[in-house]
Amino acid sequence: MDATAILWITVATAIGTFLLRLSFIQVFANREVPPILEQILRYVPSAAVSAIIVPAIVFTEETLDVSLGNERLIAGLLALVIAVRTRSFPLTVGIGMATFWLLRAVM
Amino acid sequence: MHENRRSFREGAKDIAPILLGVMPFAMISGITAVNVGISQPMAMAMSVFIFAGASQLAAYQLIAAGALPLVVIYTALVVNLRFVVYSASIAPYFQSLSTPWKWLYAYMLTDQGYAISLIRFREDETVSRAWYYLGASLPVWLVWQVFSAAGIFVGSAVPAHWGLDFAIPLTFMAVLVRSLENRAAVIAAVVGGVGAAAGYHLPLNLGLVLGVAAGILAGFAVDVASRPRRARKGER
């Protein structure tokens, strides 16, 4: 991606993020979040993060690859198990990366 | 005056153990930013001006995948929607502050500073809210910037063929697992992930946009459907 596009991404995301943070502190200081909105927002992190993870590990070079030959998929699934078991950020990333490198060296 | 300084110090003391978790996250953010082809100054600018790790990582992943800039912005902002909830629940404590302070405190709002401050505000009436929050948030900001800079520096020395950008989905695995607080959240994750993958070849990166939306709706639907049942169980 070219530098101009990345600059625009930075500007828009920075302003947007600031406005989300400022929203109730400044603008709606005396209002509460409607309960239904809060109920919806609760599922945003799970849905969004998963929507980023899954395509990143099941596609290699634009092709769906759900096989033992996909190092990212195997290392990613192992990392998921580590994450569930340990809830540790360094262990998840460390073991996941090590497995990825190992599989890539072997295959 | 003395009270303010005490409150600031209390905040800094309470946030200290949490800073250990911020360090590797910031390092990974800096390393992956330069590994997906973002220049060093721009990577540092993102760290300072966006100052929201999960959304930065999401942006780096999508920039690496060649997504449309608008989709990158959309996804980063969706990841940051949680700040609206934080903003609302902490707003009552900041009502007496002047506008410049409100803006500064909004900019500094993080998962860590928010969580630690809200716990203290609810149980301790004597602490100066504004100073405690500053004491808890300023260290997070400093550690984030210093370790992002270190990551950007280290990442520039690592060749792209090492595939360090794979650390982004791995980091998100740890984030994801922490967000799975109930069955509805698990459903939201499954639908979001499968939906985004199923729509991967749709034009304009619509697969991601629709996958996220479908995941949120699925989680919400399961939540709504399971509430009355839980209430009935409570009656028995």
Side-chain angles (χ1 to χ4, degrees):
Chain A
M1 198 175 282
D2 68 84
T4 320
I6 293 173
L7 175 65
W8 281 114
I9 289 170
T10 305
V11 170
T13 307
I15 294 173
T17 300
F18 176 67
L19 292 178
L20 292 174
R21 283 170 159 149
L22 188 66
S23 57
F24 280 82
I25 292 177
Q26 176 76 46
V27 189
F28 317 112
N30 300 313
R31 301 221 204 123
E32 303 220 324
V33 189
I36 191 161
L37 181 64
E38 201 168 348
Q39 207 178 353
I40 291 173
L41 289 179
R42 185 180 304 164
Y43 299 103
V44 171
S46 312
V49 166
S50 177
I52 293 163
I53 295 174
V54 178
I57 65 171
V58 299
F59 284 93
T60 44
E61 312 281 331
E62 302 289 302
T63 342
L64 184 67
D65 181 4
V66 190
S67 72
L68 289 175
N70 181 350
E71 308 99 347
R72 282 169 197 263
L73 178 63
I74 305 303
L77 288 177
L78 180 68
L80 183 63
V81 173
I82 304 285
V84 170
R85 285 281 169 85
T86 67
R87 309 220 142 207
S88 155
F89 165 74
L91 276 180
T92 304
V93 177
I95 295 178
M97 263 339 276
T99 310
F100 172 61
W101 282 329
L102 188 71
L103 289 174
R104 227 171 41 164
V106 175
M107 297 205 275
Chain B
M1 209 61 230
H2 177 74
E3 275 307 294
N4 293 346
R5 216 175 304 150
R6 183 189 66 93
S7 297
F8 182 92
R9 237 183 286 125
E10 292 269 299
K13 200 183 76 195
D14 291 347
I15 203 76
I18 296 169
L19 295 176
L20 282 176
V22 177
M23 293 169 187
F25 197 32
M27 280 286 281
I28 293 281
S29 170
I31 291 171
T32 52
V34 289
N35 260 262
V36 303
I38 298 169
S39 72
Q40 289 188 6
M42 186 58 80
M44 202 57 222
M46 290 174 106
S47 170
V48 170
F49 291 108
I50 300 174
F51 182 50
S55 67
Q56 286 172 237
L57 281 180
Y60 304 155
Q61 173 67 43
L62 296 178
I63 286 170
L68 289 176
L70 265 183
V71 173
V72 180
I73 296 163
Y74 161 86
T75 309
L77 292 181
V78 164
V79 168
N80 286 339
L81 274 178
R82 67 187 190 287
F83 287 130
V84 175
V85 177
Y86 299 175
S87 182
S89 52
I90 211 156
Y93 301 107
F94 295 159
Q95 275 200 42
S96 57
L97 296 178
S98 63
T99 299
W101 282 103
K102 280 182 177 171
W103 284 42
L104 177 70
Y105 280 20
Y107 165 70
M108 285 197 185
L109 191 60
T110 57
D111 299 306
Q112 296 85 2
Y114 161 79
I116 223 97
S117 297
L118 214 66
I119 293 169
R120 175 56 77 95
F121 293 175
R122 281 178 178 161
E123 68 187 22
D124 184 357
E125 298 272 313
T126 65
V127 77
S128 155
R129 270 73 188 261
W131 286 96
Y132 182 90
Y133 177 83
L134 192 64
S137 302
L138 201 57
V140 175
W141 187 87
L142 272 174
V143 165
W144 180 261
Q145 303 309 346
V146 169
F147 281 80
S148 288
I152 290 166
F153 184 70
V154 171
S156 306
V158 176
H161 68 81
W162 282 25
L164 267 181
D165 56 322
F166 185 52
I168 299 174
L170 292 177
T171 304
F172 277 139
M173 294 273 184
V175 174
L176 175 68
V177 166
R178 284 176 201 182
S179 80
L180 300 178
E181 52 183 35
N182 57 18
R183 200 166 58 96
V186 175
I187 303 283
V190 171
V191 173
V194 173
Y200 188 74
H201 289 296
L202 287 178
L204 310 174
N205 305 107
L206 275 176
L208 179 72
V209 176
L210 295 176
V212 174
I216 295 168
L217 283 180
F220 174 65
V222 171
D223 187 333
V224 170
S226 61
R227 277 188 188 208
R229 217 179 305 145
R230 226 178 290 145
R232 272 201 300 277
K233 256 184 220 158
E235 277 166 28
R236 251 174 247 154

